[in-house]
Amino acid sequence: MTAAEDAEDAGDVVEVDDHDATRVLTLNRPGARNAIDIPVRLRLLDELRRAADDPAVRAIVLTGAGGTFSAGGDLRSMEGAGPDEVRERLAPVHRAVRIIATCGTPVIAAVEGAAAGLGVSLAAICDHVVAAEDARFVAAFGKVGLVADGGLLWTLPQRVGMGRAKEMLVFGRTVPAPRAFEIGLADSLAPPGKALDAALELAAEAASLAPLSVAAAKRLLARADHSLKRLLEAEREEQAALFGTADFAEGRAAFAERRAARFEGR
């Protein structure tokens, strides 16, 4: 039995490591290129919930083991699945995607190697994507007879525009990291093997900010209704709530005293 199989038998399909205020969640099926089967979906959802609900966690990094982000959904586990089973498979993915998009904690994807299929979906929903310079993104769902899932039909056009989204989703083109950075699918690049290090540096920056302020920004950005009128109404309520927080008082004091603020999330 391989080390990868041992890890799966032990239920360690998503590794959890804390780096100061940053929690790193690592998809850990390197023998299967971190393909996302049912155990991975359930464990990832559970760990995202834990991280999002933990006030000590100020940033989350999502990455993959063994030099690959994720090969996407595990096709071997899909054989014979009927409509009800498909809906069951998607349920934890949809919950995880909603957590990443709407939780108050910044979520950063650190992409090495390939992000394919559902792997692209998980990366694209994150607040920031760090890609190794030799990484690649491919969402050729048409090659296996499926449609993009994990919210990619929503996130990808927002990131890259409709035309470029169609290049990936309709024509199945692979996008190398430099091109992904150019079009906005990746937000920053790192040397090969250094995506996680770069993501941790960025996470430390995010963790130094006022967490209630960051959470409010994420809530507003994630609103499905993007009309200016309703956004301004929501902004007014979020800002009114933040004015009464200890973090805002600390931010004002730190600014006046020309020192780094010490935010506590209250």
Side-chain angles (χ1 to χ4, degrees):
M1 182 175 286
T2 67
E5 291 169 334
D6 284 339
E8 289 184 44
D9 286 348
D12 200 16
V13 291
V14 177
E15 286 191 341
V16 181
D17 297 291
D18 286 336
H19 296 253
D20 297 322
T22 299
R23 181 156 297 169
V24 179
L25 304 181
T26 304
L27 304 176
N28 188 36
R29 295 185 68 207
R33 298 176 63 236
N34 302 320
I36 303 166
D37 61 2
I38 298 298
V40 173
R41 294 164 191 239
L42 295 174
R43 179 73 187 280
L44 179 61
L45 173 60
D46 185 49
E47 294 302 339
L48 283 169
R49 280 175 173 157
R50 290 175 188 271
D53 291 341
D54 188 341
V57 176
R58 298 284 185 88
I60 300 167
V61 172
L62 179 62
T63 192
T68 297
F69 186 73
S70 174
D74 189 338
L75 291 174
R76 293 177 302 175
S77 68
M78 299 178 191
E79 187 174 351
D84 289 340
E85 291 168 296
V86 171
R87 294 184 182 99
E88 271 187 42
R89 292 177 63 88
L90 284 175
V93 170
H94 288 178
R95 294 190 192 104
V97 163
R98 283 195 291 269
I99 289 172
I100 293 171
T102 63
C103 76
T105 312
V107 185
I108 301 163
V111 178
E112 295 279 356
L118 184 54
V120 179
S121 305
L122 288 177
I125 195 66
C126 291
D127 300 307
H128 189 101
V129 178
V130 180
E133 292 165 347
D134 58 353
R136 60 197 182 280
F137 299 81
V138 56
F141 289 85
K143 290 185 177 180
V144 295
L146 294 176
V147 70
D149 52 15
L152 192 61
L153 290 158
W154 185 74
T155 55
L156 193 59
Q158 290 189 61
R159 279 186 166 272
V160 306
M162 187 61 73
R164 291 181 179 123
K166 286 181 178 180
E167 287 183 20
M168 295 184 69
L169 298 174
V170 176
F171 296 97
R173 290 180 180 165
T174 297
V175 178
R179 175 63 174 164
F181 176 64
E182 179 184 336
I183 65 178
L185 177 52
D187 300 297
S188 59
L189 297 178
K194 298 296 183 180
L196 179 56
D197 291 341
L200 287 171
E201 287 183 18
L202 183 63
E205 292 179 27
S208 71
L209 301 176
L212 298 179
S213 174
V214 171
K218 285 198 62 174
R219 279 194 297 271
L220 291 170
L221 289 167
R223 288 177 63 90
D225 176 4
H226 285 97
S227 73
L228 179 60
K229 179 177 182 293
R230 294 196 179 182
L231 180 64
L232 290 173
E233 290 170 353
E235 169 196 291
R236 178 188 62 210
E237 298 308 310
E238 293 283 4
Q239 196 75 303
L242 288 170
F243 260 68
T245 64
D247 276 355
F248 180 49
E250 165 63 9
R252 293 198 318 273
F255 180 80
E257 298 165 15
R258 299 184 180 182
R259 60 172 174 81
R262 296 180 291 275
F263 296 117
E264 298 180 2
R266 57 186 181 86

